[in-house]
C-alpha cells in the first residue's frame, strides 16, 4: 500500500510518505466498523485525511485500490487548480504536506472495505496539492 502511494507521489515529484502504525490502527478500526454496520461513509470529526474504497464480489489488491483513487488524476486541472468531477482521493494521495499514511482493510464474504488515513490531512480549499 505504501509503495503504491509513493509511486503516485513520485510522478508529481513530492516527498514519499512513511507508514504510520497508529494511523493504520485507526484505519483498521474504521474499516471494521463500516463492514460490521454495513455502511460506507467517512468517519466524523476525523482530524486526518481519509480515503475509502469498497468492492463487492471480488478481492482487491493494494495496488488496485490506490490505482482506483489515482485514476481521478484525469479530473484534476493543475493549471486552474480545479476538479472536474471527483478528484479528492487523488489529491489527498499527492498532497505535498502529507507525510504519513496508514491503511486497513476489512473483509467478509463478498465485500471489502479499505480505509487509509493521512497526516496531516490535505484537500484544503483554494490550495494546490503540489
Amino acid at each position: 500500500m505504501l509503495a503504491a502511494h509513493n509511486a503516485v507521489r513520485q510522478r508529481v515529484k513530492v516527498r514519499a510518505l512513511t507508514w504510520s502504525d497508529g494511523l493504520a490502527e485507526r484505519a483498521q478500526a474504521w474499516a471494521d466498523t463500516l463492514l460490521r454496520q454495513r455502511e460506507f461513509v467517512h468517519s466524523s470529526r476525523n482530524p486526518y485525511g481519509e480515503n475509502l474504497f469498497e468492492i463487492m464480489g471480488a478481492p482487491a489488491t493494494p495496488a488496485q485500490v490506490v490505482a482506483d483513487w489515482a485514476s481521478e488524476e484525469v479530473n484534476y486541472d493543475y493549471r486552474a487548480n480545479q476538479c472536474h468531477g471527483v478528484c479528492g482521493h487523488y489529491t489527498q494521495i499527492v498532497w505535498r504536506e502529507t507525510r504519513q499514511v496508514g491503511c486497513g482493510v476489512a473483509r467478509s464474504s463478498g465485500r471489502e472495505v479499505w480505509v487509509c488515513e493521512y497526516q496531516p490531512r490535505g484537500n484544503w480549499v483554494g490550495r494546490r496539492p503540489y
Side-chain angles (χ1 to χ4, degrees):
M1 188 58 94
L2 181 61
H5 273 82
N6 285 332
V8 176
R9 291 174 67 86
Q10 185 177 26
R11 291 197 305 253
V12 295
K13 299 177 177 48
V14 294
R15 181 176 16 172
L17 297 174
T18 60
W19 186 260
S20 165
D21 288 336
L23 291 174
E25 287 176 22
R26 182 182 179 99
Q28 186 63 57
W30 188 240
D32 291 340
T33 297
L34 292 174
L35 190 72
R36 184 176 58 257
Q37 295 181 353
R38 294 183 173 96
E39 293 183 325
F40 189 68
V41 296
H42 286 283
S43 55
S44 61
R45 298 188 193 117
N46 187 353
Y48 307 109
E50 184 175 77
N51 279 351
L52 305 177
F53 177 88
E54 178 181 48
I55 189 167
M56 306 281 209
T61 66
Q64 290 169 324
V65 172
V66 175
D68 182 77
W69 293 330
S71 71
E72 297 173 1
E73 179 180 12
V74 299
N75 299 328
Y76 178 66
D77 179 348
Y78 181 82
R79 185 180 230 173
N81 192 30
Q82 291 182 342
C83 183
H84 304 286
V86 176
C87 67
H89 300 99
Y90 166 71
T91 54
Q92 176 58 81
I93 291 172
V94 298
W95 199 263
R96 179 186 313 273
E97 285 83 25
T98 298
R99 297 291 178 244
Q100 295 184 310
V101 64
C103 305
V105 59
R107 297 178 173 98
S108 69
S109 59
R111 182 175 182 230
E112 287 185 354
V113 177
W114 295 71
V115 177
C116 286
E117 303 287 348
Y118 302 86
Q119 172 65 28
R121 71 183 314 145
N123 290 332
W124 294 101
V125 175
R127 293 184 51 202
R128 293 182 188 277
Y130 54 89

